[in-house]
Amino acid sequence: MRTVTRLAGFAVGLAAVFGATYGVGRVVDTAPAAESRHDDAATTPTADERGGTGDRLPGGLLVSEHGYTLEPVDAPAGGFAFRIAGPDGRPVTRYDVAHDKQMHLIVARRDLSGFRHVHPELAPDGTWRVDTPLAGPGQWRAFADFTPTGGEPLTLGVDVTVPGELTERPLPAPATTTTVDGYTVTLTGAPQPGRTSSLTLTVSRDGQPVTDLEPYLGAYGHLVALRQGDLAYLHVHPDGTPGDGRTRPGPAVTFLAEVPSTGSYRLYLDFQHGGRVHTAEFTVVADAAPTGDAPTPSGPAPTGGADHGTPGHGHN
Ligand SMILES: [Cu+2]
């Protein structure tokens, strides 16, 4: 428990630092703005250069934003229930549908294990409930990703403790290939702070490319990234949607992501195949754009995070 407590305190400090010095964090879904930036060696763009989102923190760091507050309420053991209090203090009961749902609830332990993406049920009084989203003891972060009707999209986050014997897991080392449920998923591309990066995830099974991915929540994949250290939340959507005439059902799904800083991130890819949703996880390291300084001893490989060390061991 001691480590968890320290991490939580550390997160508060980081949030304050970001508030003072850094703005962007919300992932750019479709904006092509950064694509036109050809001068790779240029100085790091300021927040204002990035499309006017400079006053926004990454998602999920705040429990209350723009008048909306995430309020957990009592729930049966293992379950989770909450309300969103609106600017008038009353529970919000009207939400826009985004990606097929009014509410996306993402939970992850503070050590970045145990990720789940679930869809709670809304009661008429504005209470959202879901059974057993928290898989075991530990310090969890719950993210409510929603759009109140008449408002703008928000991701609010709150810590939830599940009592019990806690075994902290180190962050897995960076890798570009992972397996889940018999599928192999390969990642190409690496995120870089301050610019839109293309991340492509390619799904195969038994050595064969999977070319019949099924739409899940209106897309062939959903990608969430959480930053190690404070669990800043980025929900990344694919470049293209099923039925748009150019997006194929695999094996590759491409995402456009902008990360708010250097550091380690855990990526969680939800995809559907065979009538089931699978979640592939990766650790990636976001490096600063190459500027000629600070040479990397491991060589010139352009693959980004794959050949770096094991930053998960950094917190001791
Ligand atoms: Cu969802």
Side-chain angles (χ1 to χ4, degrees):
M1 289 306 289
R2 200 164 154 267
T3 306
V4 165
T5 306
R6 281 191 54 224
L7 275 178
F10 180 58
V12 170
L14 268 186
V17 169
F18 278 115
T21 64
Y22 216 95
V24 172
R26 232 170 144 83
V27 159
V28 179
D29 278 2
T30 52
E35 306 292 346
S36 60
R37 189 179 298 280
H38 292 297
D39 49 336
D40 280 344
T43 55
T44 304
T46 67
D48 283 348
E49 287 178 283
R50 296 191 208 109
T53 52
D55 58 349
R56 293 210 69 161
L57 282 170
L61 294 175
L62 302 177
V63 74
S64 183
E65 187 175 16
H66 296 183
Y68 295 88
T69 303
L70 171 54
E71 299 180 341
V73 299
D74 285 343
F80 188 62
F82 62 98
R83 288 188 290 258
I84 303 295
D88 61 0
R90 303 222 298 262
V92 176
T93 55
R94 294 177 61 230
Y95 296 83
D96 292 348
V97 171
H99 301 279
D100 282 0
K101 299 288 180 183
Q102 292 183 310
M103 178 66 69
H104 302 265
L105 180 73
I106 280 79
V107 297
R109 240 185 302 250
R110 278 268 175 205
D111 63 6
L112 294 172
S113 68
F115 174 92
R116 292 189 68 181
H117 176 170
V118 294
H119 301 105
E121 298 274 333
L122 178 62
D125 70 353
T127 303
W128 292 96
R129 286 190 181 83
V130 63
D131 292 335
T132 62
L134 305 174
Q139 189 75 22
W140 291 80
R141 188 76 174 165
F143 303 93
D145 184 338
F146 63 96
T147 304
T149 297
E152 56 182 302
L154 285 173
T155 302
L156 303 178
V158 70
D159 281 346
V160 185
T161 302
V162 178
E165 189 73 27
L166 171 65
T167 305
E168 177 131 351
R169 299 163 182 78
L171 186 67
T176 52
T177 296
T178 192
T179 57
V180 57
D181 305 334
Y183 297 86
T184 299
V185 184
T186 301
L187 168 68
T188 15
Q192 283 188 336
R195 62 185 62 201
T196 302
S197 305
S198 175
L199 304 177
T200 298
L201 291 131
T202 305
V203 183
S204 65
R205 188 164 65 167
D206 301 328
Q208 300 298 315
V210 173
T211 56
D212 56 349
L213 290 176
E214 297 154 4
Y216 171 59
L217 303 174
Y220 289 125
H222 289 267
L223 186 64
V224 166
L226 298 178
R227 179 169 58 188
Q228 186 186 34
D230 64 357
L231 276 68
Y233 170 95
L234 313 174
H235 193 166
V236 193
H237 294 295
D239 178 21
T241 55
D244 66 3
R246 66 181 181 92
T247 302
R248 298 200 300 202
V253 187
T254 296
F255 297 85
L256 300 175
E258 182 178 338
V259 293
S261 70
T262 58
S264 294
Y265 293 79
R266 190 73 168 159
L267 305 185
Y268 307 87
L269 170 71
D270 285 338
F271 64 95
Q272 184 174 314
H273 189 249
R276 285 190 53 211
V277 176
H278 314 277
T279 304
E281 302 187 16
F282 297 86
T283 298
V284 299
V285 176
D287 288 323
T291 56
D293 58 300
T296 307
S298 59
T303 50
D307 43 15
H308 282 256
T310 52
H313 299 156
H315 52 83
N316 49 14

